[in-house]
Amino acid sequence: MRQKSIAVIIVAAGKGERVSTDGVPDPKQYRLVAGVPVLSRTAQAFLEHPAVSQVLVVIHPDHAERYAALDLAHPNLMSRVIGGPTRQASVLEGLKTLAPLRPDLVLIQDAARPFVTPALIDNVITALDQHEGALPALPVTDTIKRTLDGQLVATTEDRSQLAAAQTPQGFRFSPIFSAHMRATTIRRPFTDDAEIAEWAGLSVALVPGDRNNIKITHPDDFARAERIIHGDNPVETRIGTGFDVHQFEPGDAVWLGGVKIPHHARLKGHSDADVALHALTDAILGAIGEGDIGVHFPPSDMQWKGVASVVFLKHAGELVAKAGGRIVNLDVTIVCEAPRIVPHVPAMREVIAQTLGIAISRIAIKATTNEQLGFIGREEGMVAMASASIEMPRGD
């Protein structure tokens, strides 16, 4: 008997308007949970499932670079598709892309549900043997009130007949594709794909949902997601410190915090001699017990000659993520007589935030002089000190 081909559409085209960083919308699907982007966790759950044939991610047109930075790679992963102005339109774009492949079944998954389990996926697939559609759902435990004006209770619903829908929602491909195409002629919006299936007269079955299969929607949901991951293995806060010093040599600019600053000299070193990022990288490595830059990038190795120090910082951040950690905050102090640092601090914070995938609000950069004392006062070099606070799963 031929094995059914099963395709998955992951809807990741949201703009992140309900979650923001420093007042700027921050798409939740690209934010980190325990050091790993939400979308990466969601995609991996389906890419690793043995019954899934193809996985297609539908993204917002403004997020192409952010998606590429996830560096997802798997034989079953298709090239991403640009979504539409609504979730319904984005799903339809995914269905149109899959149509030439003629899969037997399609599962439609919210990108912001990163905790879908193999068992939940199996249950949805199994239900499609008997029904044209299926979705996981949880019984409603709260008493539900209906109001007509938003102020007064009109009636109390029978909660025994209510269920809270989750994803993945699964369907036989041809019927749901046809239903979605027909739904484009209807002016009212549909809240999910199961509603479109119901409207089209398809039979949609319920399978037991999972309490941990949460949809990350609001800022507080990220804290809950961290608790789901760590479970009974609570986190502990670790502190690392870093210190670096470089002398000046003839040149026309210095690299500090990943930013090139014009100056009458440059810092001497094997790499770009970014004293701020060197100290910060050492602080992060120290917090997770991974030595220092010299261990990972030996100065005797010529491949690191002149390399940008953001490479070192990115590596340290990846080690944090691999260990299941989360960067809480970073603090850097730069000590020099010149050049002036303060005008460049916003750009430095932006570089560090982008490199590590954390909010700018978690990064502090300060500058001070040495009151013309010592080698710093004589402008022979500069010093940077850094500290890193990192939450890690509690081990031995």
Side-chain angles (χ1 to χ4, degrees):
M1 182 177 179
R2 182 180 70 88
Q3 183 177 357
K4 288 185 174 68
S5 60
I6 302 173
V8 177
I9 296 173
I10 298 177
V11 190
K15 294 186 292 186
E17 293 176 334
R18 282 181 284 191
V19 178
S20 64
T21 299
D22 294 335
V24 178
D26 190 4
K28 58 196 174 186
Q29 61 269 35
Y30 298 103
R31 290 188 59 177
L32 303 183
V33 173
V36 179
V38 170
L39 178 52
S40 295
R41 290 184 180 276
T42 304
Q44 210 61 40
F46 291 94
L47 291 171
E48 293 177 354
H49 195 285
V52 171
S53 309
Q54 297 97 15
V55 174
L56 175 67
V57 182
V58 184
I59 68 169
H60 191 278
D62 294 343
H63 299 162
E65 290 186 4
R66 299 193 72 164
Y67 178 75
L70 297 179
D71 199 24
L72 296 174
H74 193 279
N76 293 343
L77 182 66
M78 300 176 64
S79 297
R80 90 289 187 281
V81 171
I82 300 299
T86 66
R87 183 188 186 282
Q88 181 179 333
S90 294
V91 172
L92 182 56
E93 290 301 317
L95 292 170
K96 289 178 179 177
T97 301
L98 291 174
L101 301 178
R102 302 177 64 85
D104 297 304
L105 308 177
V106 61
L107 307 182
I108 303 172
Q109 169 74 4
D110 295 328
R113 290 189 189 270
F115 302 123
V116 58
T117 64
L120 193 63
I121 297 170
D122 288 339
N123 289 342
V124 172
I125 293 172
T126 300
L128 295 176
D129 289 339
Q130 303 295 325
H131 302 275
E132 294 165 304
L135 75 153
L138 293 173
V140 174
T141 57
D142 293 326
T143 297
I144 303 299
K145 304 292 184 181
R146 181 183 295 276
T147 177
L148 301 179
D149 59 5
Q151 297 179 337
L152 298 176
V153 173
T155 186
T156 299
E157 302 290 345
D158 180 1
R159 67 185 181 191
S160 67
Q161 299 182 15
L162 301 176
Q166 298 182 333
T167 64
Q169 298 184 358
F171 306 92
R172 296 175 188 174
F173 183 81
S174 293
I176 194 62
F177 186 24
S178 175
H180 257 279
M181 292 294 291
R182 290 167 51 200
T184 61
T185 65
I186 305 299
R187 291 187 179 276
R188 74 175 179 89
F190 293 88
T191 59
D192 67 0
D193 306 288
E195 186 181 8
I196 291 177
E198 299 153 22
W199 166 80
L202 306 180
S203 65
V204 181
L206 298 179
V207 302
D210 187 330
R211 295 282 176 194
N212 285 340
N213 185 30
I214 64 170
K215 183 178 181 181
I216 297 177
T217 304
H218 303 287
D220 289 349
D221 294 332
F222 285 94
R224 182 181 175 191
E226 296 275 352
R227 292 194 297 271
I228 290 172
I229 291 172
H230 295 302
D232 294 329
N233 187 24
V235 298
E236 61 186 12
T237 300
R238 300 185 184 181
I239 306 297
T241 61
F243 177 93
D244 197 37
V245 56
H246 283 276
Q247 68 184 96
F248 283 120
E249 66 179 10
D252 58 4
V254 295
W255 282 96
L256 286 174
V259 176
K260 190 175 185 180
I261 302 174
H263 192 46
H264 57 71
R266 68 180 183 184
L267 290 171
K268 182 179 181 180
H270 186 66
S271 62
D272 63 2
D274 190 326
V275 67
L277 291 192
H278 289 187
L280 184 56
T281 301
D282 275 351
I284 295 172
L285 293 173
I288 61 175
E290 286 285 350
D292 60 15
I293 290 178
V295 172
H296 300 268
F297 304 95
S300 58
D301 190 337
M302 292 306 296
Q303 70 174 308
W304 310 121
K305 178 70 174 177
V307 73
S309 295
V310 290
V311 172
F312 307 154
L313 184 64
K314 188 176 190 302
H315 176 71
E318 290 170 346
L319 290 178
V320 173
K322 184 178 179 180
R326 181 177 75 94
I327 296 173
V328 178
N329 75 288
L330 305 171
D331 189 13
V332 182
T333 299
I334 302 171
V335 187
C336 64
E337 302 297 325
R340 287 198 67 220
I341 304 300
V342 173
H344 305 283
V345 165
M348 294 181 192
R349 296 175 73 205
E350 178 67 29
V351 169
I352 294 169
Q354 289 292 330
T355 301
L356 296 173
I358 63 176
I360 291 177
S361 59
R362 297 185 180 275
I363 303 162
I365 298 178
K366 307 182 297 294
T368 185
T369 70
N370 212 44
E371 298 294 338
Q372 298 183 339
L373 298 175
F375 75 91
I376 297 175
R378 294 190 298 270
E379 297 191 37
E380 296 172 2
M382 68 170 62
V383 162
M385 298 169 285
S387 64
S389 175
I390 297 177
E391 285 186 348
M392 296 279 287
R394 181 170 294 163
D396 54 358

